[in-house]
Amino acid sequence: PPVYEQRYYFVKNLVNQHGHKKIADLGFGDATLLWMLKYHRCVQYLVGVDIAAKPFEWGGGRLSPGVGSYIIPRELDLTITLYRGSAVQKDSRLCGFDLITCIELIEHLDSEDLAKFPEVVFGYFSPGMVVISTPNSEFNPLFPASTFRDPDHRFEWNRKQFQMWALDVAKLYHYSVEFSGVGDPPAGAEHVGYCTQIGVFQKNSTKPTELSISEPEEHVYEVVSFLWE
Ligand code: SAM
């Protein structure tokens, strides 16, 4: 399968392994990953956040109840909320998730937003697990044009750059991180590593974080779609 699909399958495998109930996808794009995750029986809350989020149309929208949900009734209800907002803005409705995914998001953040990102996602949202994927620039010479893969990318990191950033973030917010990736290099070019590099961060304390009473509710994101099935 193409690399973008391999990224989604990487997340699906993690959800299968861990049985996450509440999942948020930051920078959900065309919502393909959310759409794939809604068929997992363990999932009860799916949230998408994107600065360019558009409302889903019932009927035409991919997230509306699938035929499958009528044929095989779900044991648990599923709620899907799509928000328009930025991954570097705090919104208390994103706190306390089992998993937050950021698939090909961070390379779109300018240096100011990238600096805010760890405090918001790890410090404030503080989910049990975070998955971050980003291009591995060491793979780029294998592409015909060796510039950035997308004109909107603000940076593309090699493995060392990503791992140093990720290890710093993990240490600061008490997570452990494991590195992986998808998109195998062709034979003879194994030294460049995966096309997409992925960090899987797991929170060290097993204690579920609850919003403390003193912490005020902050609703900054705009709801663009709310679906329930
Ligand atoms: N995650 C999707 C995927 O893998 O197919 C989409 C990846 S696309 C390369 C990057 C997405 O991030 C776009 O949908 C863009 O609108 C969104 N985005 C960029 N900056 C963002 C920000 N600060 N907060 C939330 N979303 C953002």
Side-chain angles (χ1 to χ4, degrees):
V3 179
Y4 74 89
E5 264 179 33
Q6 293 183 44
R7 290 193 283 262
Y8 303 149
Y9 281 111
F10 183 94
V11 174
K12 273 178 78 76
N13 283 335
L14 279 174
V15 173
N16 271 336
Q17 267 173 45
H18 295 271
H20 299 122
K21 291 192 182 102
K22 293 185 73 171
I23 304 173
D25 187 27
L26 307 184
F28 67 83
D30 68 2
T32 306
L33 177 60
L34 290 172
W35 175 73
M36 287 169 73
L37 292 174
K38 93 186 188 94
Y39 294 100
H40 285 263
R41 299 284 147 202
C42 57
V43 176
Q44 291 172 38
Y45 295 96
L46 280 177
V47 163
V49 179
D50 199 295
I51 37 164
K54 288 187 205 81
F56 270 84
E57 284 164 34
W58 281 97
R62 279 172 146 186
L63 293 171
S64 56
V67 179
S69 58
Y70 296 116
I71 297 169
I72 316 160
R74 293 179 58 91
E75 282 161 39
L76 301 162
D77 293 336
L78 170 67
T79 308
I80 306 173
T81 311
L82 300 181
Y83 295 109
R84 187 181 305 116
S86 170
V88 300
Q89 280 177 303
K90 290 180 181 173
D91 187 301
S92 55
R93 291 168 294 186
L94 269 283
C95 294
F97 277 63
D98 300 311
L99 172 67
I100 289 188
T101 53
C102 307
I103 305 304
E104 308 297 278
L105 168 70
I106 59 167
E107 66 276 8
H108 294 268
L109 304 179
D110 62 26
S111 55
E112 205 178 300
D113 281 353
L114 184 68
K116 289 184 204 151
F117 175 88
E119 209 267 302
V120 175
V121 174
F122 292 85
Y124 182 78
F125 297 157
S126 191
M129 185 179 275
V130 181
V131 176
I132 296 179
S133 87
T134 194
N136 165 22
S137 66
E138 292 164 80
F139 198 96
N140 289 358
L142 301 178
F143 292 120
S146 53
T147 50
F148 281 172
R149 298 184 195 177
D150 181 314
D152 190 50
H153 287 179
R154 307 303 154 92
F155 60 88
E156 288 180 356
W157 280 337
N158 62 31
R159 282 172 290 181
K160 194 176 175 199
Q161 288 170 310
F162 177 56
Q163 291 178 14
M164 278 173 47
W165 176 83
L167 286 165
D168 277 351
V169 170
K171 194 173 168 208
L172 195 55
Y173 296 101
H174 310 289
Y175 281 74
S176 57
V177 57
E178 279 181 33
F179 299 102
S180 181
V182 294
D184 289 322
E190 288 82 2
H191 62 281
V192 304
Y194 292 112
C195 179
T196 299
Q197 47 185 343
I198 301 177
V200 177
F201 301 75
Q202 198 142 15
K203 190 150 63 169
N204 291 338
S205 96
T206 47
K207 193 168 69 75
T209 40
E210 269 151 41
L211 207 56
S212 70
I213 309 148
S214 57
E215 194 92 56
E217 289 276 317
E218 289 179 73
H219 291 187
V220 178
Y221 297 161
E222 182 193 348
V223 178
V224 295
S225 289
F226 177 77
L227 314 167
W228 178 85
E229 60 184 77

